[in-house]
Amino acid sequence: ENSPSPLPERAIYGFALFLGSWFGFMLYLIWAYVPETWLFSLGLTYWPQKYWAVALPVYLLVAIGIGYILLFGINMMRTAPLNSTDTVTDNYAKKQQQKKFQEEAIPALTDIPISEVNRMFFLPEK
Amino acid sequence: MEEWWYRSASGARIALRRRQHSASCRELAVRCPRLRLRSLSAATSAAWLAAYGLFVLTENSMVLSAAIIITLVGLIIYLHFVKIDQESLLVIGSLGIQVTSSYASGKESTTFIEMSQVKDVVINEAIHMQKVIYYLCILLQDPGDPQGVSEVVPLFQSSKPRLDCLIVVYKSCQEILEQRKTAPQSS
């Protein structure tokens, strides 16, 4: 049903987007460069101020730059502090059920409690 | 009493001291590096040079007195509230665990955790700033759920010893905590 192969509908969507984006770009260039008097003489009086032809790209680029810093900051804020139980366990580990041990079978995947992990790693003498 | 030298997570030299008071009582203390005279003089000179530069610009002598007062008050606040000299852990087998932090000004702040509340003392790894560090922490028992952890109390927060020092502390604590299981249960 969902396959990434090329289909006739997808070709049509792609071509329509291609034409639409070229048309939008030409419209933006005309709005930015053609003098206002020429546009008025054609009858197009209700277009936005040309100030926005420069302001919107600047807003967009500054937003992208701030977005990098903001994403880094949000990541740092969302990491659990050292004194939270999220560093030790979570909802899925608390509710897990212990499956019975079967001979010759791969053991089921479970979360090992941190006390046991510590005993395994740090207690045996080298 | 034994003393070993280790490094903290940031590279500074720290000392671990272990004292065995009795079979079920042990004290482990981590001593942080003292405030260096050269870093203190560097910070003071930088602050006073900046204040003198401001004075030359504004011709207002209040800037100089304000800089002196701010430096003195800042140093006192830093020594009393920020600079930790020694962090120690006292584990008493049947009673509980006491955590003490002594500041450079002599102030000591202690926390005592009763043994029935202590589930285990483990070495946990977590993301701190942009690093992953090992730190020792006390897991507190959840009263309703015998397997659950209600709270995590991190230890040695300002000295941040590395894994080799933490393993020594961990083994010492586990020797005492294991006695809990073999000792007869008291009501």
Side-chain angles (χ1 to χ4, degrees):
Chain A
E1 322 87 323
N2 299 327
S3 76
S5 65
L7 299 169
E9 293 90 23
R10 291 176 180 169
I12 295 172
Y13 298 154
F15 191 57
L17 274 177
F18 171 71
L19 286 181
S21 56
W22 263 113
F23 176 69
F25 185 51
M26 286 300 136
L27 196 64
Y28 173 74
L29 287 182
I30 291 171
W31 168 47
Y33 280 110
V34 171
E36 276 207 330
T37 46
W38 294 17
L39 291 175
F40 286 168
S41 68
L42 282 172
L44 309 161
T45 55
Y46 206 57
W47 280 18
Q49 280 185 346
K50 283 179 187 287
Y51 160 80
W52 293 108
V54 179
L56 283 177
V58 172
Y59 270 123
L60 190 67
L61 291 175
V62 171
I64 290 175
I66 289 183
Y68 276 112
I69 302 172
L70 199 69
L71 189 66
F72 186 67
I74 289 178
N75 268 328
M76 281 185 74
M77 280 170 59
R78 286 202 59 181
T79 46
L82 292 186
N83 64 346
S84 88
T85 50
D86 290 328
T87 52
V88 177
T89 183
D90 67 355
N91 276 335
Y92 296 102
K94 281 186 204 151
K95 296 202 190 112
Q96 67 186 349
Q97 297 129 342
Q98 305 289 113
K99 293 223 173 79
K100 263 199 348 259
F101 175 70
Q102 294 167 333
E103 288 288 332
E104 302 290 331
I106 300 176
L109 185 69
T110 53
D111 192 35
I112 306 177
I114 186 170
S115 310
E116 225 174 287
V117 174
N118 267 255
R119 273 193 284 272
M120 222 177 333
F121 276 150
F122 302 125
L123 278 186
E125 302 290 327
K126 253 294 224 20
Chain B
M1 176 163 88
E2 300 142 329
E3 179 165 349
W4 301 282
W5 286 94
Y6 291 104
R7 291 215 170 256
S8 77
S10 51
R13 278 176 39 105
I14 55 174
L16 172 69
R17 231 184 251 161
R18 184 173 82 172
R19 279 188 73 163
Q20 175 119 358
H21 294 282
S22 85
S24 61
C25 178
R26 245 181 224 161
E27 184 173 7
L28 298 131
V30 172
R31 226 172 55 228
C32 312
R34 299 285 174 89
L35 183 63
R36 314 296 301 247
L37 186 60
R38 44 178 179 203
S39 57
L40 177 64
S41 4
T44 314
S45 322
W48 286 354
L49 273 173
Y52 185 70
L54 224 76
F55 165 69
V56 164
L57 277 174
T58 60
E59 303 289 327
N60 186 4
S61 65
M62 279 295 288
V63 173
L64 295 175
S65 357
I68 293 176
I69 293 177
I70 287 177
T71 315
L72 283 175
V73 171
L75 181 65
I76 292 177
I77 289 180
Y78 176 70
L79 291 179
H80 195 69
F81 292 108
V82 176
K83 179 92 187 71
I84 290 187
D85 215 17
Q86 173 176 288
E87 289 168 309
S88 77
L89 189 68
L90 177 66
V91 184
I92 307 177
S94 47
L95 198 60
I97 301 181
Q98 175 168 289
V99 184
T100 315
S101 309
S102 4
Y103 292 82
S105 64
K107 168 174 108 163
E108 281 191 10
S109 99
T110 40
T111 315
F112 179 75
I113 303 170
E114 209 191 327
M115 203 40 108
S116 59
Q117 285 180 353
V118 170
K119 182 164 186 281
D120 203 1
V121 172
V122 299
I123 297 180
N124 194 11
E125 336 165 50
I127 302 175
H128 175 72
M129 297 296 247
Q130 76 289 4
K131 287 195 280 213
V132 176
I133 57 166
Y134 290 101
Y135 65 104
L136 197 73
C137 58
I138 305 178
L139 302 177
L140 296 188
Q141 187 93 34
D142 190 5
D145 176 18
Q147 302 295 326
V149 174
S150 78
E151 218 180 298
V152 171
V153 178
L155 304 172
F156 301 126
Q157 285 290 78
S158 72
S159 47
K160 289 204 178 52
R162 288 189 180 169
L163 190 60
D164 41 9
C165 177
L166 289 180
I167 291 180
V168 173
V169 180
Y170 173 74
K171 283 185 180 162
S172 302
C173 291
Q174 286 295 321
E175 279 169 20
I176 298 191
L177 288 178
E178 272 166 6
Q179 295 170 5
R180 279 194 301 180
K181 292 185 236 150
T182 54
Q185 296 288 337
S186 56
S187 55

